[in-house]
Amino acid sequence: MLEDSKPVIILRPSDLAREHGLSAQAVRNYEREGFIPPAERTRSGYRIYTELHVAALRVYLSLIPGYGYSAGGQIMNALHDDELDGALAIIDRGHGQLLRDRDTLDAVRRAVDHLTAESDAGPRHPTAPVPRTIGALARRLGVTPATLRNWEDVGILTPARDPATGYRVFRPSDIRDAELAHLLRRGGYPLDHISTVVEQIRTADGGDALSSALDDWHLRLRERGLAMLDAAAHLSHYLTLLRRGLDPALAAPGTTRNTG
């Protein structure tokens, strides 16, 4: 004797939207962008969403905190184009970026601790003047002036200009940024990454604020990692549904494929 078939659950856009505090139009937009599968249509043209669409929407929204809007959309598009390896590659890149960000945070903490220890111990050359020109700062760091100009071009350094001569004038905060950049550069970090790090530290403006900024950075990375774990659970469930081909709407009477 055959078991009774599972009843088809037919949902409207507003039903999917309600769970996440979205508008029905947002759900329709997500369908248009390929973030959830195409909906079946009744003969009168109304969309029919199913539990598969519910799962897809949960996956997409759970991906955003961990991977961002762009990557989250790309992952869903790849899944719906039957490109699982492509989706997994995007996920792998997200985890790789998180690991690099953790390594960078650790490097920044070490660099800040190093600079703070040097400051507490007194200047390395007590009789030497504080470097205020590009040449003096280059000599202090053991780099070329061209290197410092390059760092300025990408936003790592923001020296003031002497109003009389137009020459660069490096203040103590600029010297701190330059020394931090020098430490990170020796660690192999790219300039655009260093620029982002230095900007975060620059806006902290002060020892306590800097420590708080680094703690906030660490908390954001932790939250991103936890968001990735949450997304993985939703994604695993959704992949199971896709592998089973579990879309009740395909078997629902009186429906037509939505090609619009």
Side-chain angles (χ1 to χ4, degrees), residues 24-38:
Q25 184 58 50
V27 174
R28 290 190 283 268
N29 292 343
Y30 291 156
E31 179 191 345
R32 185 185 67 244
E33 297 296 330
F35 303 158
I36 63 176

Side-chain angles (χ1 to χ4, degrees), residues 98-184:
L98 178 60
L99 181 59
R100 288 192 296 273
D101 288 347
R102 288 185 182 280
D103 289 342
T104 298
L105 175 58
D106 290 341
V108 170
R109 285 193 185 278
R110 291 194 299 271
V112 169
D113 290 344
H114 174 76
L115 295 177
T116 301
E118 283 196 342
S119 176
D120 292 343
R124 287 171 291 180
H125 307 289
T127 60
V130 175
R132 291 177 59 83
T133 66
I134 192 167
L137 181 55
R139 287 191 294 273
R140 172 171 174 153
L141 297 178
V143 300
T144 65
T147 295
L148 297 182
R149 294 190 190 96
N150 191 25
W151 291 359
E152 183 180 356
D153 289 341
V154 298
I156 294 174
L157 299 179
T158 57
R161 295 279 181 165
D162 187 311
T165 65
Y167 293 155
R168 295 171 180 82
V169 177
F170 293 91
R171 300 150 297 188
S173 59
D174 297 313
I175 297 166
R176 176 206 63 199
D177 294 344
E179 291 186 329
L180 176 59
H182 192 217
L183 286 168
L184 292 176

Side-chain angles (χ1 to χ4, degrees), residues 5-142:
S5 60
K6 184 178 179 180
V8 174
I9 300 175
I10 298 177
L11 302 167
R12 300 166 298 175
S14 58
D15 296 323
L16 270 69
R18 190 177 301 113
E19 177 183 347
H20 307 285
L22 300 171
S23 67
Q25 184 58 50
V27 174
R28 290 190 283 268
N29 292 343
Y30 291 156
E31 179 191 345
R32 185 185 67 244
E33 297 296 330
F35 303 158
I36 63 176
E40 296 296 313
R41 296 270 189 162
T42 66
R43 288 193 178 95
S44 56
Y46 291 105
R47 285 176 171 83
I48 294 179
Y49 290 133
T50 68
E51 289 297 325
L52 185 71
H53 297 90
V54 172
L57 184 57
R58 287 172 181 164
V59 172
Y60 172 62
L61 295 177
S62 72
L63 287 168
I64 293 171
Y67 300 90
Y69 285 95
S70 177
Q74 292 171 18
I75 291 168
M76 298 307 293
N77 288 160
L79 291 177
H80 297 145
D81 290 338
D82 198 23
E83 296 177 358
L84 178 58
D85 287 339
L88 294 176
I90 298 169
I91 292 170
D92 290 343
R93 284 196 293 271
H95 284 275
Q97 183 62 59
L98 178 60
L99 181 59
R100 288 192 296 273
D101 288 347
R102 288 185 182 280
D103 289 342
T104 298
L105 175 58
D106 290 341
V108 170
R109 285 193 185 278
R110 291 194 299 271
V112 169
D113 290 344
H114 174 76
L115 295 177
T116 301
E118 283 196 342
S119 176
D120 292 343
R124 287 171 291 180
H125 307 289
T127 60
V130 175
R132 291 177 59 83
T133 66
I134 192 167
L137 181 55
R139 287 191 294 273
R140 172 171 174 153
L141 297 178

